Amino acid sequence: MGGVSADTPQPCPLLDDLMPWAVGGLRLGRDWVAAPDPAALRTRWAVLAGSEGAERDRLFRPSRSRTPTASAAALPGQRSAATARFADAPGPCPDPVRVLREPFDEQWLLPDQRLIDTARPELWRVRDEHQLFLLETPDPLVTAHLPAGRLGRIRPLHRRPGGAEPNLAPGLLPLLGERHGGRVTPEDVLCWILAVGRPGPRGYEVPLAADRGRWRAGLELGHRLLTVQLRGARGGEAPRLPGGRRPYVRSAVGGWPRELSYDAETETLGLGSGTVSPVPAAAWEYEVQGVRVLEGWFAARTAHRGPEADGLAALGPAQWPQSWTSELLALVTTLALMAELAPERAAFQPGPGLSAAELRTAGVLPPPAWSRRPASVLDHQEEGPGGQFALL
């Protein structure tokens, strides 16, 4: 048998090996524990806590994993959360936390593990102001908020709080730094993934440039993508459209808008009697997995008034909150910028790459088994079900 020809393309590295630790998505189990409006979550909690017996069961919507009489540990980082059975002592409403429910759709969640089927405590342990989460959507997406929807596997950038240990194959950063003539940070690798990561037949593929110029060009593109996707999170500046263009509220959203509409000729987005413009057509048309992001965002905010809304999920604001309009303006800008960057990302070529064989020779691949498991990050005992300390 002959050897592999030098002209035979070598398989490029997989994201699963470059960022070894991945966690499945949260499974909420009941839609009422998350909402676009934090005040609605407090109202839902109060109604549930004030109910009894069969009515409480109906409102709670029990599942095999969670019922009002089931115990659960406190979520890491939520030290005020109650751990007694909800039926015995609901306790005070925990402060809702910001989460990403759908691509580009930031909402709120009640952080109480008694209400969530699969809350992924390992993610809550490393959730802090330094953390970023990579989502394996068709075009990779990064968020500073905990993903809490049907968003696929989640890869934290850091394995420990404070950004102390990158979730990267050991040896990858020194190798890239040596090849490209300078210090390479975990965020650099994340930006490179944003620029070149693609789903492939073997899994999510991430070609690593061997050429220093291509590497730097990819980092520049990836950093722009990251800035747009973070939308000012972590103290960054909110992105803006070039040329001084920005969407404005032309007429206020009054009462409750029944539908979302778009006029391409005037670049006007209509929310009932309210209007916003200019809204570039590319922002209106921007889709993720076949769904227009703006339409999905609007649907999530009107779901509690729809005919299918029932129980606690039907409790929401009576009037359109002004804060939602502000969120909409920022979202339009984000989508317009993402649409502008899409052709550049699609056309970017990383050039000749470091093969998986080269990474194996350098000792980067395969990543050790421990790198695929959560790190031990506890600096205090966590409260388990019923107030007992958790055994971890």
Side-chain angles (χ1 to χ4, degrees), residues 23-175:
V23 180
L26 278 67
R27 292 197 297 271
L28 301 186
R30 46 205 51 82
D31 54 4
W32 61 263
V33 300
D37 177 45
L41 293 178
R42 297 182 186 280
T43 299
R44 293 172 186 181
W45 177 282
V47 171
L48 180 66
S51 62
E52 296 180 349
E55 177 64 5
R56 174 174 284 180
D57 284 341
R58 185 187 73 84
L59 293 172
F60 189 96
R61 296 195 172 178
S63 63
R64 183 177 301 177
S65 301
R66 292 289 181 264
T67 69
T69 57
S71 299
L75 281 174
Q78 307 297 313
R79 299 186 184 185
S80 62
T83 59
R85 299 188 308 168
F86 196 94
D88 296 335
C93 179
D95 291 333
V97 299
R98 199 69 157 152
V99 295
L100 187 75
R101 286 286 286 142
E102 298 290 348
F104 302 102
D105 186 357
E106 296 172 0
Q107 297 187 25
W108 299 88
L109 174 71
L110 287 171
D112 190 317
Q113 194 162 201
R114 298 174 300 173
L115 311 180
I116 302 171
D117 277 11
T118 306
R120 309 294 184 192
E122 61 271 39
L123 291 178
W124 292 82
R125 291 190 185 104
V126 298
R127 168 185 169 268
D128 64 11
E129 67 274 13
H130 302 281
Q131 188 63 271
L132 295 174
F133 299 99
L134 175 67
L135 302 171
E136 297 177 36
T137 47
D139 290 335
L141 179 63
V142 172
T143 175
H145 302 296
L146 186 69
R150 298 176 294 276
L151 298 166
R153 292 181 69 74
I154 303 165
R155 296 184 188 271
L157 180 58
H158 304 291
R159 290 171 47 80
R160 299 178 186 274
E165 180 183 340
N167 178 25
L168 297 171
L172 178 62
L173 292 178
L175 174 65

Side-chain angles (χ1 to χ4, degrees), residues 205-371:
E205 298 179 345
V206 182
L208 294 173
D211 177 77
R212 188 174 299 179
R214 288 284 80 197
W215 171 256
R216 290 177 177 171
L219 287 191
E220 193 275 334
L221 172 59
H223 275 283
R224 283 189 283 144
L225 285 163
L226 181 64
T227 297
V228 173
Q229 292 186 11
L230 291 184
R231 292 186 270 177
R234 301 202 317 171
E237 185 175 345
R240 297 183 179 183
L241 293 174
R245 297 187 82 209
R246 57 182 300 185
Y248 286 95
V249 177
R250 304 302 177 179
S251 55
V253 180
W256 196 266
R258 294 178 177 267
E259 60 183 2
L260 189 70
S261 62
Y262 182 69
D263 186 323
E265 185 175 347
T266 61
E267 293 189 316
T268 299
L269 188 69
L271 298 88
S273 60
T275 55
V276 171
S277 69
V279 175
W284 168 251
E285 297 289 349
Y286 196 92
E287 295 183 354
V288 176
Q289 297 177 323
V291 178
R292 281 180 178 160
V293 171
L294 285 175
E295 289 184 326
W297 181 92
F298 181 77
R301 281 148 187 78
T302 55
H304 71 281
R305 299 177 67 90
E308 297 182 0
D310 182 41
L312 297 176
L315 299 177
Q319 301 290 326
W320 182 269
Q322 185 177 350
S323 61
W324 288 1
T325 304
S326 299
E327 290 179 22
L328 176 61
L329 297 177
L331 179 57
V332 167
T333 299
T334 296
L335 298 180
L337 292 172
M338 288 296 296
E340 280 191 5
L341 289 169
E344 184 176 349
R345 181 179 185 275
F348 181 76
Q349 296 295 325
L354 301 175
S355 69
E358 291 178 86
L359 293 171
R360 285 194 292 271
T361 301
V364 174
L365 299 183
W370 61 260
S371 67

